[in-house]
Amino acid sequence: MAVSMGMKVIKYLLFVFNLLFFLIGLALVVAGALVQTKFRMYFVFFGDQVNVAAIMLIAIGVIIFIVAFFGCIGAYMENHCMLMTFSVLLTVIFILEVAAAIASYMLKNKLKDMITTRMLETMETHYLDPEVQSAWDMTQQKLKCCGAENYTEWMTSQRDYQVPQSCCINSEDCEKGSEDDPYGDKIYKAGCADGLIEYAKGHMAVIGGVALGVAFIEIIGIILACCLGFAINKDSKDYTPM
């Protein structure tokens, strides 16, 4: 028993689609690893959300490998059960991605308050926790900023009313000056919260764009698998042995 010529075309399209899906799974695993690498120094300010998101990307990538296996084998063997399993699993992944996109959009609106609050909290333990100190120092040097919303926050939260050395534009010339303007132009004066938010939003936009592309491909895969599965099921019912 074999499917019609039109369904054979769909069969091979689905097979090619699943090879692409394998690559998408690999891309998501790589993306999750990159998120952990790129945002590792900022985990102190984002809490566990970024780390959880990275792990979820890796997990989804691995799941996609398994789902693509069902699709490839089902298409190759013209197995109705495996193709329907593939369609159901792909639909579940699609729904989870939509839910994750909605959650990310809602989190995006709360990002500024969340990061600013977390930054102000960690300023109190800057000199007590080496991990926090390292995160602040790297952030301030990389983003060329000082404090959460401005540099004066350090002067009210830290010992001796000093800003950390990482706030200094030139570490060799960063002595306090007059009382009215202690540091003059020797330090970065813009806060880090806005820069960190823009950094996060830029990467979130890239991830969002990739997710939309993956979702579009998933819809095509669901349609192809259903068409082929129904055709195989119909042909099996119509088939009468000679």
Side-chain angles (χ1 to χ4, degrees):
M1 187 269 296
V3 295
S4 64
M5 182 60 68
M7 287 301 105
K8 279 187 176 180
V9 173
I10 291 179
K11 169 184 172 178
Y12 291 116
L13 281 175
L14 183 59
F15 191 75
V16 171
F17 161 82
N18 278 286
L19 292 178
L20 177 61
F21 214 41
F22 270 120
L23 295 178
I24 289 172
L26 178 61
L28 287 176
V29 171
V30 172
L34 285 175
V35 167
Q36 282 200 314
T37 302
K38 288 278 187 180
F39 284 88
R40 181 171 296 279
M41 73 170 113
Y42 304 127
F43 283 176
V44 166
F45 307 129
F46 287 102
D48 294 329
Q49 287 91 337
V50 173
N51 196 31
V52 169
I55 292 171
M56 283 183 64
L57 280 175
I58 294 171
I60 290 172
V62 172
I63 292 170
I64 285 176
F65 274 119
I66 298 170
V67 172
F69 170 78
F70 275 98
C72 280
I73 300 300
Y76 179 75
M77 298 180 63
E78 298 179 7
N79 186 297
H80 175 263
C81 182
M82 291 192 77
L83 286 170
M84 290 301 100
T85 301
F86 169 76
S87 298
V88 170
L89 291 174
L90 208 55
T91 301
V92 171
I93 292 174
F94 176 77
I95 292 171
L96 289 174
E97 286 175 348
V98 171
I102 293 172
S104 296
Y105 181 79
M106 294 176 65
L107 178 64
K108 183 179 178 181
N109 295 329
K110 299 178 180 178
L111 203 58
K112 181 175 176 60
D113 290 340
M114 182 182 74
I115 290 177
T116 303
T117 300
R118 182 64 181 158
M119 280 186 146
L120 290 172
E121 288 174 353
T122 55
M123 289 176 81
E124 299 294 334
T125 59
H126 176 265
Y127 288 111
L128 304 176
D129 188 331
E131 183 182 356
V132 171
Q133 182 174 353
S134 177
W136 265 110
D137 289 345
M138 286 190 292
T139 299
Q140 291 181 147
Q141 284 295 308
K142 183 178 179 64
L143 301 181
K144 301 185 185 306
C145 57
C146 187
E149 295 183 294
N150 63 70
Y151 75 100
T152 59
E153 291 159 342
W154 282 118
M155 301 175 71
T156 56
S157 67
Q158 294 300 327
R159 59 191 182 191
D160 300 327
Y161 300 97
Q162 297 274 358
V163 299
Q165 193 76 10
S166 55
C167 283
C168 301
I169 297 173
N170 182 352
S171 59
E172 296 179 359
D173 180 27
C174 201
E175 296 297 325
K176 290 177 69 174
S178 67
E179 189 171 326
D180 293 334
D181 189 11
Y183 291 99
D185 296 327
K186 298 176 181 178
I187 64 171
Y188 303 116
K189 294 190 175 181
C192 295
D194 288 338
L196 189 55
I197 290 165
E198 290 304 312
Y199 181 84
K201 284 183 176 179
H203 285 78
M204 287 171 69
V206 173
I207 294 172
V210 171
L212 283 175
V214 171
F216 178 72
I217 295 172
E218 286 170 350
I219 292 172
I220 296 174
I222 293 169
I223 294 171
L224 290 175
C226 286
C227 288
L228 183 57
F230 289 139
I232 292 170
N233 191 44
K234 182 177 182 299
D235 284 355
S236 66
K237 289 179 180 178
D238 293 344
Y239 175 72
T240 53
M242 299 298 292

Coordinates of all heavy atoms in Angstrom, one line a residue, residues 3 15 55 71 76 79 86 91 95 102 104-105 107 119 122 132 139 147 168 172 191 193 207 226 230:
V3 N 0.8 5.8 -0.8 CA 0.0 7.0 -0.9 C 0.1 7.5 -2.3 O 1.0 7.1 -3.1 CB 0.5 8.1 0.1 CG1 0.3 7.6 1.5 CG2 2.0 8.4 -0.2
F15 N 9.5 15.2 5.3 CA 10.8 14.7 5.6 C 11.9 15.8 5.7 O 12.7 15.9 6.6 CB 11.2 13.6 4.6 CG 12.4 12.8 5.1 CD1 12.3 11.8 6.1 CD2 13.7 13.0 4.5 CE1 13.4 11.1 6.5 CE2 14.8 12.3 4.9 CZ 14.7 11.3 5.9
I55 N 17.5 27.5 30.5 CA 17.3 26.0 30.7 C 16.1 25.6 29.9 O 16.1 24.5 29.3 CB 17.2 25.7 32.2 CG1 18.5 25.9 32.9 CG2 16.7 24.2 32.3 CD1 18.4 25.8 34.4
G71 N 8.5 12.5 13.5 CA 8.1 13.0 12.2 C 8.9 12.3 11.0 O 8.3 11.9 10.0
Y76 N 8.8 8.5 6.7 CA 9.5 7.5 5.9 C 8.8 6.2 5.8 O 8.7 5.6 4.8 CB 10.9 7.3 6.5 CG 11.7 6.3 5.8 CD1 12.3 6.6 4.6 CD2 11.9 5.0 6.4 CE1 13.1 5.6 3.9 CE2 12.7 4.0 5.7 CZ 13.3 4.3 4.5 OH 14.0 3.4 3.8
N79 N 3.7 5.9 8.5 CA 3.0 5.3 9.7 C 2.1 6.4 10.3 O 2.5 7.4 10.7 CB 4.1 5.0 10.8 CG 3.5 4.3 12.0 OD1 2.7 4.9 12.7 ND2 3.9 3.0 12.2
F86 N 3.4 12.9 16.2 CA 4.2 14.0 15.8 C 3.3 15.3 15.8 O 3.7 16.3 16.3 CB 4.8 13.8 14.4 CG 5.5 15.0 13.8 CD1 6.7 15.4 14.2 CD2 4.8 15.7 12.8 CE1 7.3 16.5 13.7 CE2 5.5 16.8 12.2 CZ 6.7 17.2 12.7
T91 N 1.9 20.4 18.2 CA 0.8 21.3 18.6 C 1.0 21.8 20.1 O 0.9 22.9 20.4 CB -0.6 20.7 18.5 OG1 -0.8 20.3 17.1 CG2 -1.7 21.7 18.9
I95 N 1.7 25.6 21.5 CA 0.9 26.2 22.5 C 1.8 26.7 23.6 O 1.6 27.8 24.2 CB -0.2 25.2 23.1 CG1 -1.2 24.9 22.0 CG2 -0.8 25.8 24.3 CD1 -2.2 23.8 22.4
I102 N 3.6 35.2 25.6 CA 2.7 36.1 26.4 C 3.3 36.4 27.7 O 3.3 37.6 28.2 CB 1.3 35.4 26.6 CG1 0.6 35.2 25.3 CG2 0.4 36.2 27.6 CD1 -0.7 34.4 25.3
S104 N 6.5 36.4 28.5 CA 7.6 37.3 28.2 C 7.2 38.7 28.0 O 7.8 39.7 28.5 CB 8.4 36.8 27.0 OG 9.0 35.5 27.3
Y105 N 6.1 38.9 27.3 CA 5.6 40.3 27.0 C 5.1 40.9 28.3 O 5.4 42.1 28.5 CB 4.4 40.2 26.0 CG 3.9 41.5 25.7 CD1 4.5 42.4 24.8 CD2 2.7 42.0 26.3 CE1 4.0 43.6 24.4 CE2 2.2 43.3 26.0 CZ 2.8 44.1 25.1 OH 2.3 45.3 24.8
L107 N 6.3 40.2 31.3 CA 7.5 40.5 32.1 C 8.2 41.7 31.6 O 8.8 42.4 32.3 CB 8.4 39.2 32.0 CG 9.7 39.3 32.8 CD1 9.5 39.5 34.2 CD2 10.6 38.1 32.5
M119 N 18.6 45.9 41.8 CA 19.9 46.6 41.8 C 20.1 47.4 43.1 O 21.2 47.4 43.8 CB 20.0 47.6 40.6 CG 20.4 46.9 39.3 SD 20.7 48.1 38.0 CE 22.0 47.3 37.1
T122 N 20.9 45.0 45.9 CA 22.3 44.4 45.9 C 23.4 45.5 46.2 O 24.5 45.1 46.6 CB 22.6 43.8 44.5 OG1 22.4 44.7 43.5 CG2 21.7 42.6 44.3
V132 N 28.3 39.5 44.0 CA 27.5 40.8 43.8 C 28.5 41.9 43.4 O 28.3 42.6 42.4 CB 26.8 41.2 45.0 CG1 26.2 42.7 44.8 CG2 25.6 40.3 45.3
T139 N 29.3 45.1 35.2 CA 28.2 45.9 34.6 C 28.6 47.3 34.4 O 28.3 47.9 33.3 CB 27.0 45.7 35.5 OG1 26.6 44.3 35.6 CG2 25.8 46.5 34.9
G147 N 25.8 53.1 39.6 CA 24.6 53.0 40.4 C 23.4 52.5 39.6 O 23.5 52.1 38.4
C168 N 34.7 54.6 37.9 CA 35.7 55.6 37.4 C 36.0 55.4 35.9 O 36.2 54.3 35.4 CB 37.0 55.5 38.2 SG 36.8 55.7 40.0
E172 N 43.0 55.6 37.6 CA 44.2 56.2 38.2 C 44.0 57.7 38.6 O 44.8 58.3 39.2 CB 45.4 56.1 37.2 CG 45.8 54.7 36.9 CD 46.9 54.7 35.8 OE1 47.4 55.8 35.4 OE2 47.4 53.6 35.5
G191 N 22.8 56.1 35.3 CA 22.5 54.8 36.0 C 22.6 53.6 35.1 O 22.5 53.7 33.9
A193 N 20.5 50.9 35.3 CA 19.3 50.2 35.1 C 18.8 50.3 33.6 O 18.4 49.3 33.0 CB 18.2 50.7 36.0
I207 N 15.4 36.8 20.3 CA 14.8 35.6 20.7 C 13.4 35.5 20.2 O 12.9 34.5 19.7 CB 15.0 35.3 22.2 CG1 16.5 35.2 22.5 CG2 14.2 34.1 22.6 CD1 16.7 35.1 24.0
C226 N -0.6 16.2 9.3 CA -2.0 15.9 9.3 C -2.5 15.4 7.9 O -3.2 14.4 7.8 CB -2.9 17.0 9.8 SG -2.7 17.3 11.6
F230 N -3.8 11.6 7.4 CA -5.1 11.4 6.9 C -5.1 10.6 5.6 O -6.0 9.7 5.4 CB -5.9 12.6 6.8 CG -6.3 13.3 8.1 CD1 -6.2 14.7 8.3 CD2 -6.6 12.5 9.2 CE1 -6.5 15.2 9.5 CE2 -6.9 13.1 10.4 CZ -6.8 14.5 10.6

